[in-house]
Amino acid sequence: MKVTVIGSGNMGSAFVKQLHAAGHVVSVTGRDAAKAAQLAAQYTGVSAVDVKSAAQGSDAIVLATPYEQAVAALQSLGDVSGKVVIDITNPLTPDYMGLTIGHSTSAAEQIVLAVPGAQVVKGFNTLFAQVLSAGAQLGGEKVTVFVASDSERAKQTAVSLAESMGFKTMDAGGLKNARYLEPLAGLNIYFGYGAGLGTSVAPTWISAK
């Protein structure tokens, strides 16, 4: 697929690395054009693109920015109507130990309200950048990527990308279930930092079926 990654921080860099390794056509953009160019230069065939043209021809857009910057970043691309947007953000407090919104809404739902034409799917938000960068295997098990969306096309796109990178996926239902996935990410952050387990941790779901 042709995938545009918005953001060149830890998560954006990890996505570029894994998407490139999986054989996708990857471009990266963001507020810091020089940083995006530096990231792209690390991989043959990855290109840094101007924000205003970044969405053109893309099969999926990975929104790899902090939640506070997400809407502005997505809107800066211009018209993204009908585009699949993979929202990996979490609405974290400054100390990363709490959420700024929840219960009756989620970061993903707020993004849809601000950019209603986009086909948003929540996914990858429960992974540390270090886990994503290292690959799909952790402790001898495949890492799970949970996906939630009201768009079946968006959900299947996210699933296909995740599985192409070697991850296991689990359908988490409609987009409103991002209200559960975002607190799950918060719990994972607590285990990683608050409980001192480090960043080589990730949630999964065990089933007898």
Side-chain angles (χ1 to χ4, degrees), residues 82-188:
K83 292 290 185 181
V84 171
V85 175
I86 301 173
D87 167 35
I88 73 167
T89 69
N90 291 302
L92 299 171
T93 55
D95 64 358
Y96 299 104
M97 289 294 115
L99 301 180
T100 58
I101 59 174
H103 298 294
S104 60
T105 189
S106 64
E109 289 168 283
Q110 291 301 302
I111 290 168
V112 167
L113 287 175
V115 191
Q119 295 189 20
V120 175
V121 52
K122 193 79 189 185
F124 297 92
N125 71 299
T126 59
L127 304 186
F128 280 117
Q130 293 86 343
V131 170
L132 180 59
S133 181
Q137 292 289 329
L138 181 63
E141 301 286 341
K142 273 192 175 184
V143 175
T144 300
V145 172
F146 301 94
V147 292
S149 181
D150 294 333
S151 164
E152 190 61 28
R153 172 173 164 253
K155 188 180 289 183
Q156 289 307 312
T157 298
V159 166
S160 294
L161 286 174
E163 292 181 349
S164 75
M165 293 186 283
F167 292 93
K168 182 169 64 174
T169 60
M170 191 161 190
D171 190 333
L175 195 66
K176 70 178 182 180
N177 286 345
R179 301 173 193 179
Y180 304 133
L181 294 181
E182 291 166 13
L184 179 59
L187 181 62
N188 192 52

Side-chain angles (χ1 to χ4, degrees), residues 44-101:
T44 302
V46 174
S47 57
V49 295
D50 182 76
V51 171
K52 293 182 179 179
S53 61
Q56 294 177 10
S58 292
D59 297 306
I61 299 166
V62 177
L63 191 52
T65 69
Y67 168 61
E68 294 77 16
Q69 301 170 17
V71 169
L74 197 53
Q75 290 176 335
S76 72
L77 303 185
D79 185 10
V80 292
S81 297
K83 292 290 185 181
V84 171
V85 175
I86 301 173
D87 167 35
I88 73 167
T89 69
N90 291 302
L92 299 171
T93 55
D95 64 358
Y96 299 104
M97 289 294 115
L99 301 180
T100 58
I101 59 174

Side-chain angles (χ1 to χ4, degrees), residues 5 7-8 28-41 46-49:
V5 178
S8 49
V28 59
T29 191
R31 295 189 304 171
D32 190 333
K35 190 175 180 181
Q38 186 177 34
L39 173 59
V46 174
S47 57
V49 295

